Amino acid sequence: MAAPYRRLLPPVLLLLLVALPLASPSSSAGDQAALLALKGAVTGDPASVLSAWSSSDPDHCHWRGVTCHPASSAVAAIDLPAASLSGTLPAALPPRLLRLDLSGNNFSGPIPAAFLASPTLRALNLSSNRLSGPIAFPPSSNSNSNSSSSSPPCPALAHLRLAGNFLVGEIPAALAQCRSLRVLDVSRNVLEGAVPRALGRLAALRVLDVSRNSLTDRIPRELGNCRALAVLVLTNLTASPGDQPEFNAFLGGLPQEVVTMPALEVLWAPRANFDGRLPRYRNGSCRLRAVNLGQNYIGGPVPKWLVECGDLAFLDLSSNSFEGSMPPELRIGCMKYLNVSQNLLSGPLLSPVQGKCSSRLSDDVVVIQYYEALVGIALIGNPFGSVLGDISNAALHDFSNNGFDGALPSLNLHLAGNYSYGLLLNSNMFNSTLSGGFFGFCKGASGVAVNLSGNRLSGSLDMLSNCTSLQSFEAGYNMFNGSLSPGIGGLHLLRVLVLRANNLTGDVPVRFGDLAALEVLGLSQNSLTGILPSHLADASRLKVLMLDHNRLSGSIPPSFSELAQLSVFDVSFNNLSGDIPYLRHSPDCSLFVGNPLLSRCLGPNASAPPSSPSNHQKWTQRLGGHMTKSKYLVVIIAASATALVSFVVAVLLFFVCERRKRAKIENFKKKMVVTFADAPPEINYDSIIQATGNFSIQNLIGTGGFGATYKAELAPGYLVAVKRLAMGRFQGLQQFDAEIITLGRIRHKNLVTLIGYHNGESDTFLIYNYLPGGNLESFIHEMGSRQVSWAEVYTIAMDVAQALAFLHGSCTPRIIHRDIKPSNILLDGELNAYLSDFGLARLMEVTQTHATTDVAGTFGYVAPEYATTCRVSDKSDVYSFGVVLLELMSGKRSLDPSFSQFGDGFTIVSWGRILMQEDRTSEFFSLGLWDTSPKDRLTEMLKIAISCTSESLAVRLSMRQVAARLKQLRNDQ
Ligand SMILES: *[C@@H]1O[C@H](CO)[C@@H](O)[C@H](O)[C@H]1NC(C)=O
Ligand SMILES: *[C@@H]1O[C@H](CO)[C@@H](O)[C@H](O)[C@H]1NC(C)=O
Ligand SMILES: *[C@@H]1O[C@H](CO)[C@@H](O)[C@H](O)[C@H]1NC(C)=O
């Protein structure tokens, strides 16, 4: 963030310098003192950046990073970005300072109030430091108007960048007094509360970025008064796991006034928890270029006025509940990125006649920089990724997973330049044939990837050979018929061709061997006949060749031994005969079954060369030994990550969505149980009711905030746990199914597995795997009478830490548990720990009416800031985890009766801290644990728990850090 404004400011600065009256030389001493105070506050300067800053050198205008006003020794700017400086910030600034840039250093502590009170400062950049505390603001001048300074604070401040620190508290409404503000960037902090409505008074504001905080509440409609606002970033999804995650979750919908702000060019709010609808009408011209509202809960139609936004090049409305048809005049061919996948859109996709696209650039450098950074990152997520190559010149249109029907559209690209183009139409209800018009985009594009899987398309595929820029074509699960055109062999860029599960007949054309780039060929489940052409082995890049479930005959040509990359070769269920040639990576005999005339498959090692197998071979052999064919799909993904991922994902999504649609329809039927991928067949409504004895108290194994849990033996030895959700709390929630299905996809070795659920009128329950070891609460309770070992304590701590780190950092969507406590941690027979109840608190919040915001946690475990403000962040979970860890080491409960002597509010946290301070740590641990454990590790674990329960959010560790520090304690004897 430092770069844009450094580049922008010099002209501004120059103008200002010229306009300023000459300074009196007397200010010089004060300026130098202020600089030396800055140096004095710096405690670390490994690069010796400030070494020449010294009172013995009177000419401070030549000190590194210092710029003075012309013909004066008054300091105008201090620029020390990315200088590895650490320390705190000085209390005062040089009196006529215009610009301070200390971004990208390691400054810590608070932002001195004097910074924002400076009458001259125009640009303040403190981004990417370790600053903490609230955004300190001088006492408001309107409440005590008789104070000495009658002028408003920060009269000149135009650029305020505080991103990437540990700032807490709310965004101060008093910032609205900085009337010159043009750029306000407070992203990547720990800010809570609402976006203040007072910000609507900032008439000059161009950029507002509040992403990656813990903000909640409604977006105020007053923000719509920012007539100049061009870039509004409310959330920003992380691209890499190391980044600060996004916890902003707003309430309600995006106000109409905000969506239709006249100057708005970039509106960025993916996964921001918005519901409601987009405004139907707007007045005045539209300047929008990039709109990202993906992964929200917005319904209603896609607004028709988008058609008038002539500069719109990026539109992401994916994973919402938009319905109706696409506005027919939307200039799709002018858009670099259009994603409306996973909605409820229907009707035909029309192909507007298009003239030239607008190529107007924004006239504001800052806007261009934001646009390019945001859009660039979003394109990295392009599902065709490496198939399409260079993403900077890729266009992507994703209409998948909707209910579009009728004929395939004719979408011609009108973008200037040579684009790679990805088009996803999979999982819809298109029912036409492939006409010449469909491939119109092939002519102008440098590379093309198309996914048509899961529609009702029919007719021949001959047209394919006319698209010479084709790199990937997937059209599985349709009704294409006829034979494969030999002309396809002329597509020299083709890397992926998947046509599984159609009605194709005829043979595999010999010319397919000419496809020098081909990596994946999937022709399974058709009615292909004839022999396997020996020439096919000349497609030397082949990694995946799936020809199973056809009627191929003859022998497998020995030339296939030469395919060095071939890792999946499936010819099962054909009429092949003769010997199986030696294949470099082909370990699994199940890929040859169903060919009665084929000689016996001798397994992986039989024909291997004498040289020792490569790692890859060992790996595939190990998998091949005990993997079923369906699981082999997993291997395919690993083996050809470049190519098949999108296909498999599409198929999976197709099934999930089919199931979702089905779930919706059958919701009315009372007995629907939705199960997830690995659910055994015994599970249905009746069997659950029967096995729990109609939720008989005899089978009750636990109760909690969300409902009671019952044990159910569905088949002899096969147990599940059934959580019957408390009536009323989740009743009639729109997003219930979608949310639960999302939870059902989350898998981690230390999370209980959600197997399925039932959402009926009279009953709602979730089905989990059953864990025989009870919960951690009983385990801790028993520590009073049973000695536990370091190994047991360590394993449980580590398991829970890993589960939480996963929920916070690596799973999609990220989940804050909010109710970590021993009764939510389950154990199996070997004392491995599993976290349960994750995602339910989120589910309630997402679906709750906005009036109630009660704290979801349990007294004794909730973090102090959560209890007092109801504002939640991942750090609240860390606090609760710390409490659990303290209980696990001490065998005492958070609010143990033995603490009552110390008075109200005394918890295990206070106790641990006192013993630690008084150097009496050994007294903290449960019976015998201290004597039998490695004492240094035990003490370190206590320290970790104490850091987890720190009141200061900045000091409190993150779950990743906790897991890493626990890992260092691993007993490696
Ligand atoms: C959004 O996130 C990306 C990836 O972490 C980051 O590079 C970019 O600067 C962020 N943009 C904004 C406007 O916050
Ligand atoms: C395709 O579907 C549309 C609408 O569902 C229907 O009107 C049309 O007759 C179908 N066409 C074909 C070729 O089946
Ligand atoms: C497709 O290519 C063939 C020859 O390769 C040509 O005869 C035919 O007209 C082309 N079709 C279209 C629609 O361009």
Side-chain angles (χ1 to χ4, degrees):
M1 283 305 108
Y5 103 88
R6 271 209 309 283
R7 245 183 279 165
L8 184 77
L9 264 205
V12 176
L13 189 63
L14 240 126
L15 271 178
L16 225 105
L17 295 184
V18 173
L20 270 169
L22 290 186
S24 62
S26 65
S27 70
S28 158
D31 276 289
Q32 188 166 107
L35 292 176
L36 290 174
L38 170 61
K39 180 175 178 175
V42 168
T43 53
D45 179 10
S48 300
V49 174
L50 303 183
S51 57
W53 287 33
S54 145
S55 51
S56 60
D57 174 3
D59 187 6
H60 59 250
C61 293
H62 290 108
W63 292 359
R64 181 144 169 203
V66 176
T67 311
C68 287
H69 287 273
S72 117
S73 57
V75 176
I78 303 174
D79 294 298
L80 294 167
S84 307
L85 300 173
S86 50
T88 55
L89 297 174
L93 295 172
R96 289 176 52 207
L97 193 70
L98 304 179
R99 182 176 75 214
L100 176 62
D101 183 356
L102 297 177
S103 59
N105 285 290
N106 291 314
F107 284 103
S108 51
I111 301 173
F115 281 31
L116 287 175
S118 159
T120 55
L121 202 61
R122 291 183 51 93
L124 177 60
N125 189 350
L126 302 174
S127 295
S128 303
N129 278 284
R130 314 180 57 80
L131 300 169
S132 54
I135 299 180
F137 215 82
S140 133
S141 58
N142 49 16
S143 60
N144 46 329
S145 46
N146 52 348
S147 73
S148 55
S149 69
S150 55
S151 62
C154 51
L157 194 63
H159 294 249
L160 179 57
R161 295 177 188 268
L162 304 174
N165 284 291
F166 299 103
L167 301 175
V168 297
E170 307 208 348
I171 299 175
L175 276 173
Q177 296 171 40
C178 307
R179 287 305 169 84
S180 309
L181 261 189
R182 286 173 49 83
V183 174
L184 176 56
D185 185 354
V186 293
S187 63
R188 294 182 283 131
N189 280 293
V190 202
L191 299 170
E192 300 168 324
V195 174
R197 58 188 70 223
L199 295 189
R201 299 208 299 268
L202 292 171
L205 197 65
R206 292 288 287 161
V207 174
L208 176 61
D209 186 351
V210 298
S211 60
R212 296 205 204 151
N213 280 289
S214 301
L215 299 170
T216 54
D217 227 323
R218 289 176 171 270
I219 296 295
R221 50 185 68 243
E222 287 81 354
L223 207 56
N225 297 334
C226 297
R227 309 292 294 174
L229 195 63
V231 177
L232 177 58
V233 185
L234 296 172
T235 53
N236 182 15
L237 302 186
T238 42
S240 63
D243 285 343
Q244 191 152 332
E246 178 63 81
F247 288 116
N248 287 352
F250 300 103
L251 296 181
L254 258 176
Q256 167 150 1
E257 293 83 348
V258 172
V259 179
T260 58
M261 280 187 288
L264 198 60
E265 296 184 43
V266 176
L267 172 59
W268 208 262
R271 205 194 292 158
N273 204 33
F274 285 125
D275 53 25
R277 292 164 170 242
L278 295 182
R280 275 185 102 95
Y281 305 102
R282 71 171 285 152
N283 291 326
S285 65
C286 169
R287 310 186 63 166
L288 287 170
R289 300 170 180 279
V291 175
N292 188 349
L293 297 174
Q295 304 177 56
N296 281 291
Y297 301 95
I298 304 171
V302 175
K304 293 220 167 30
W305 52 259
L306 284 173
V307 169
E308 283 140 40
C309 308
D311 297 325
L312 192 64
F314 184 104
L315 177 61
D316 188 346
L317 301 177
S318 62
S319 300
N320 278 284
S321 306
F322 286 103
E323 56 196 19
S325 56
M326 283 299 281
E329 284 93 28
L330 196 65
R331 294 156 68 88
I332 297 170
C334 294
M335 295 171 76
K336 197 170 160 149
Y337 185 99
L338 170 60
N339 188 349
V340 294
S341 63
Q342 302 198 57
N343 279 289
L344 307 167
L345 296 167
S346 57
L349 251 189
L350 294 182
S351 347
V353 188
Q354 274 162 322
K356 275 178 84 175
C357 303
S358 151
S359 53
R360 229 161 21 111
L361 278 179
S362 177
D363 44 18
D364 189 335
V365 191
V366 187
V367 175
I368 295 178
Q369 274 156 348
Y370 269 90
Y371 173 85
E372 285 180 352
L374 289 167
V375 167
I377 298 262
L379 280 176
I380 293 176
N382 152 17
F384 291 117
S386 55
V387 173
L388 285 178
D390 178 16
I391 53 132
S392 60
N393 251 358
L396 189 74
H397 295 161
D398 188 348
F399 298 92
S400 63
N401 292 285
N402 278 290
F404 291 117
D405 60 16
L408 286 173
S410 312
L411 302 169
N412 289 333
L413 270 197
H414 290 253
L415 296 166
N418 227 354
Y419 271 82
S420 291
Y421 180 51
L423 176 61
L424 291 103
L425 297 171
N426 48 295
S427 300
N428 278 291
M429 298 193 289
F430 291 110
N431 63 355
S432 64
T433 57
L434 270 188
S435 73
F438 173 72
F439 282 115
F441 48 76
C442 293
K443 221 180 290 159
S446 58
V448 167
V450 175
N451 191 339
L452 300 175
S453 302
N455 280 288
R456 298 170 186 172
L457 300 165
S458 55
S460 100
L461 286 165
D462 289 353
M463 222 51 232
L464 264 191
S465 37
N466 286 41
C467 183
T468 50
S469 46
L470 202 61
Q471 286 175 301
S472 171
F473 186 77
E474 299 168 46
Y477 303 98
N478 277 290
M479 296 175 292
F480 286 112
N481 51 33
S483 56
L484 289 164
S485 152
I488 294 173
L491 300 172
H492 65 286
L493 297 178
L494 194 65
R495 288 166 67 176
V496 178
L497 181 63
V498 178
L499 303 171
R500 78 186 289 136
N502 279 287
N503 303 327
L504 299 171
T505 52
D507 48 18
V508 179
V510 176
R511 276 198 66 198
F512 275 24
D514 296 346
L515 293 166
L518 194 66
E519 290 170 13
V520 178
L521 179 60
L523 301 173
S524 315
Q525 299 177 49
N526 281 288
S527 303
L528 300 172
T529 51
I531 59 159
L532 258 179
S534 156
H535 182 45
L536 195 52
D538 290 338
S540 60
R541 300 241 180 116
L542 263 180
K543 290 179 182 158
V544 176
L545 179 54
M546 299 184 82
L547 301 168
D548 55 284
H549 296 87
N550 279 291
R551 296 190 208 133
L552 301 171
S553 53
S555 60
I556 305 175
S559 56
F560 279 47
S561 317
E562 280 148 40
L563 288 167
Q565 323 251 16
L566 193 65
S567 53
V568 175
F569 179 52
D570 190 345
V571 291
S572 57
F573 301 97
N574 279 288
N575 291 324
L576 296 168
S577 54
D579 291 335
I580 299 174
Y582 159 68
L583 297 164
R584 301 206 193 192
H585 312 276
S586 198
D588 189 348
C589 286
S590 71
L591 304 185
F592 297 96
V593 300
N595 291 285
L597 303 178
L598 207 55
S599 56
R600 208 162 71 86
C601 170
L602 294 175
N605 299 316
S607 54
S611 68
S612 76
S614 69
N615 274 342
H616 176 81
Q617 253 174 309
K618 278 192 214 146
W619 179 72
T620 40
Q621 279 164 11
R622 213 170 46 235
L623 285 169
H626 42 77
M627 279 193 101
T628 64
K629 189 154 160 203
S630 70
K631 285 201 179 143
Y632 217 88
L633 268 181
V634 177
V635 182
I636 297 173
I637 295 172
S640 62
T642 53
L644 256 192
V645 172
S646 58
F647 171 68
V648 174
V649 168
V651 171
L652 289 179
L653 281 176
F654 174 66
F655 285 121
V656 169
C657 284
E658 276 302 301
R659 178 171 285 161
R660 199 150 137 188
K661 277 180 206 157
R662 240 185 297 141
K664 269 187 194 135
I665 295 162
E666 303 211 6
N667 217 2
F668 303 107
K669 296 184 187 166
K670 285 207 305 240
K671 293 187 167 185
M672 178 80 180
V673 170
V674 178
T675 56
F676 303 110
D678 39 8
E682 286 87 354
I683 293 188
N684 58 54
Y685 182 84
D686 289 325
S687 69
I688 297 273
I689 296 297
Q690 198 191 359
T692 56
N694 203 2
F695 298 110
S696 144
I697 198 148
Q698 284 172 16
N699 292 313
L700 187 70
I701 51 174
T703 54
F706 299 110
T709 308
Y710 300 80
K711 177 160 101 174
E713 187 162 17
L714 292 180
Y718 180 64
L719 287 117
V720 295
V722 182
K723 182 181 285 281
R724 190 188 199 190
L725 298 180
M727 290 300 294
R729 291 199 83 168
F730 297 86
Q731 201 79 48
L733 301 175
Q734 252 186 15
Q735 277 119 26
F736 184 88
D737 291 275
E739 285 288 324
I740 291 292
I741 287 170
T742 306
L743 290 184
R745 282 187 221 143
I746 294 173
R747 292 280 187 274
H748 183 271
K749 72 176 175 57
N750 299 116
L751 291 175
V752 295
T753 308
L754 181 57
I755 302 173
Y757 75 99
H758 163 78
N759 182 19
E761 265 164 26
S762 56
D763 248 328
T764 299
F765 55 73
L766 308 178
I767 307 159
Y768 291 102
N769 60 332
Y770 175 77
L771 292 159
N775 67 32
L776 191 61
E777 188 173 38
S778 338
F779 181 87
I780 290 172
H781 185 65
E782 283 160 21
M783 281 168 74
S785 52
R786 181 182 88 86
Q787 199 194 315
V788 297
S789 71
W790 160 253
E792 288 168 337
V793 168
Y794 178 80
T795 308
I796 293 173
M798 193 66 205
D799 283 352
V800 180
Q802 282 176 331
L804 259 181
F806 170 78
L807 288 180
H808 288 177
S810 320
C811 88
T812 338
R814 285 165 211 287
I815 288 180
I816 304 179
H817 189 291
R818 300 181 189 209
D819 198 12
I820 303 285
K821 56 181 174 181
S823 61
N824 278 336
I825 295 164
L826 306 181
L827 303 171
D828 66 13
E830 277 112 31
L831 294 185
N832 297 305
Y834 301 80
L835 196 54
S836 77
D837 270 7
F838 55 92
L840 297 186
R842 174 188 137 94
L843 173 67
M844 257 179 37
E845 172 160 309
V846 163
T847 48
Q848 216 161 28
T849 50
H850 308 126
T852 54
T853 44
D854 55 338
V855 173
T858 304
F859 191 54
Y861 299 91
V862 286
E865 78 279 0
Y866 183 19
T868 52
T869 66
C870 295
R871 302 297 180 223
V872 69
S873 75
D874 56 345
K875 293 275 177 100
S876 344
D877 278 353
V878 177
Y879 184 94
S880 314
F881 172 82
V883 176
V884 171
L885 197 53
L886 291 170
E887 293 187 301
L888 178 61
M889 286 185 285
S890 65
K892 287 201 164 44
R893 277 180 261 167
S894 169
L895 302 168
D896 205 85
S898 64
F899 298 149
S900 59
Q901 47 172 320
F902 299 109
D904 270 348
F906 193 92
T907 66
I908 197 165
V909 175
S910 343
W911 189 55
R913 218 170 271 159
I914 287 177
L915 291 185
M916 189 97 145
Q917 272 158 13
E918 298 181 1
D919 229 338
R920 291 159 54 204
T921 38
S922 64
E923 295 168 35
F924 181 81
F925 302 100
S926 80
L927 182 74
L929 185 60
W930 178 255
D931 295 319
T932 58
S933 305
K935 299 189 175 40
D936 53 342
R937 298 199 181 127
L938 206 52
T939 310
E940 177 63 16
M941 191 181 268
L942 178 58
K943 281 189 191 149
I944 294 174
I946 296 285
S947 319
C948 288
T949 50
S950 162
E951 298 221 358
S952 153
L953 287 185
V955 171
R956 212 179 286 165
L957 302 172
S958 74
M959 231 33 241
R960 269 165 70 99
Q961 291 169 319
V962 172
R965 280 180 59 178
L966 283 175
K967 209 176 238 169
Q968 287 171 354
L969 300 186
R970 177 172 294 143
N971 195 340
D972 39 20
Q973 291 127 30

